[in-house]
Amino acid sequence: PLANNALLETAAMQLGGSRAMRCEIFGVIGALGNPGATTVAIALADALNQDSRSHTPDLCLIDLDFASGACGAYLDVANEFDFDTIFTAPERIDLELLELICHRHSTGFDLLSVRRPDFLLSSGQDNFVLKLLDVASYRYKRIVLDLPSYPTNWAAPLVAELDRLIIVTETTIPAIKSAKQRFDDATAIRQTDKGIVVLANREKRRFLSRELTRSDIVEGLGKNEVSFLPEDRALITEALNRGILPVQARASAPFNKEIRRLVRKLRGKE
């Protein structure tokens, strides 16, 4: 059997390996506090799925924050599968089992989310996560990962191989400093800053406000290209309370327009 490090490296290489139709993998991670990374991951997954115009499900949103299972909670989806049967035996994961543990959202993408904080104490979590992603990357053309903000053994290999990493931050000085640190750490892991996007969420643009300006945020991050999402507490609150996507609550909202713009940027269309 492979040692832990060898397994991680092998699986990571497979995630980014050359295939006839290679899967695109997008990772979303929050900086300090609760910057809304899960909401962004959910909205991004739907927007990417709509952008593909595929008649068959080819995108999966995978919630890797087992401590909260927030993606499922936000969309009011309960996963009843007995994960104990595969947490300890990840070799059982195949395409057929993947279909059983995923939920098909009404808008067309698949969702895998489960709340199992005890799993974080398991010595086999590396094997499970990387086997899951390896199988999923064969099944889907695109995967969006809602990544945990806390450290794990398997995070670095994934960050190294992601096609895009979106770092979500609020527009406060402590949060900007944290996002800058995450950006620098990810750059060191990937050995390049290519493919890393910093997304300033809940931006407030008011006349004579004490809020940080866009130039303040760009200067604090030391990065010229920063994407922004406007604050829309009413929209997000409605979506959460109804267990729906922000775009289902109000498609024309500026938040949703900026998510679609972010997708065009990530796909190189802008």
Side-chain angles (χ1 to χ4, degrees):
L2 292 171
N4 252 5
N5 287 344
L7 175 62
L8 295 175
E9 292 166 5
T10 301
M13 286 178 61
Q14 289 176 341
L15 283 172
S18 59
R19 296 185 180 128
M21 294 184 65
R22 194 174 71 81
C23 175
E24 284 185 287
I25 304 182
F26 302 81
V28 180
I29 191 168
L32 188 68
N34 180 23
T38 295
T39 297
V40 169
I42 291 171
L44 178 64
D46 177 68
L48 281 167
N49 189 54
Q50 300 305 322
D51 185 66
S52 72
R53 297 183 176 87
S54 175
H55 296 294
T56 58
D58 63 2
L59 183 143
C60 189
L61 169 60
I62 301 180
D63 185 351
L64 291 180
D65 187 351
F66 301 107
S68 66
C71 286
Y74 284 16
L75 294 174
D76 195 23
V77 173
N79 198 321
E80 304 296 339
F81 187 83
D82 182 7
F83 277 84
D84 285 329
T85 61
I86 54 175
F87 278 161
T88 55
E91 66 277 4
R92 290 189 55 214
I93 302 174
D94 57 18
L95 293 175
E96 184 178 0
L97 184 61
L98 188 64
E99 296 288 333
L100 292 175
I101 63 179
C102 287
H103 170 85
R104 179 72 41 80
H105 191 268
S106 60
T107 59
F109 66 86
D110 284 351
L111 167 67
L112 174 54
S113 179
V114 60
R115 183 181 182 277
R116 285 295 301 271
D118 58 300
F119 176 57
L120 298 173
L121 303 176
S122 167
S123 60
Q125 61 174 293
D126 304 352
N127 298 7
F128 171 78
V129 169
L130 296 173
K131 175 63 175 178
L132 170 67
L133 296 182
D134 189 41
V135 174
S137 67
Y138 277 101
R139 165 62 180 84
Y140 298 98
K141 292 181 181 178
R142 296 178 186 86
I143 294 174
V144 175
L145 303 176
D146 187 13
L147 298 168
S149 58
Y150 46 82
T152 64
N153 291 335
W154 42 264
L158 291 188
V159 168
E161 297 298 331
L162 293 172
D163 292 280
R164 295 286 188 274
L165 174 64
I166 299 96
I167 300 171
V168 183
T169 179
E170 290 189 293
T171 56
T172 64
I173 290 176
I176 295 300
K177 288 181 178 179
S178 175
K180 175 68 165 58
Q181 185 62 59
R182 283 208 183 274
F183 180 87
D184 291 343
D185 292 345
T187 299
I189 292 171
R190 296 166 65 88
Q191 298 184 339
T192 178
D193 63 0
K194 185 178 180 180
I196 306 175
V197 175
V198 178
L199 181 62
N201 192 21
R202 301 169 183 157
E203 182 194 21
K204 303 172 185 175
R205 305 190 73 181
R206 298 176 183 139
F207 186 62
L208 297 179
S209 170
R210 293 179 179 268
E211 302 288 339
L212 296 180
T213 65
R214 289 195 171 188
S215 59
D216 291 333
I217 294 168
V218 168
E219 182 180 353
L221 290 167
K223 179 175 169 58
N224 291 329
E225 290 191 24
V226 181
S227 295
F228 294 85
L229 285 177
E231 182 187 44
D232 195 334
R233 182 177 177 82
L235 173 76
I236 302 305
T237 299
E238 180 184 355
L240 291 174
N241 287 339
R242 294 173 60 191
I244 61 176
L245 298 164
V247 73
Q248 292 176 305
R250 192 167 73 253
S252 62
F255 175 90
N256 294 315
K257 291 180 179 179
E258 290 303 316
I259 285 289
R260 291 191 288 270
R261 184 179 179 183
L262 175 62
V263 166
R264 293 195 297 272
K265 180 178 180 179
L266 294 174
R267 303 299 306 283
K269 298 179 180 179
E270 184 173 298

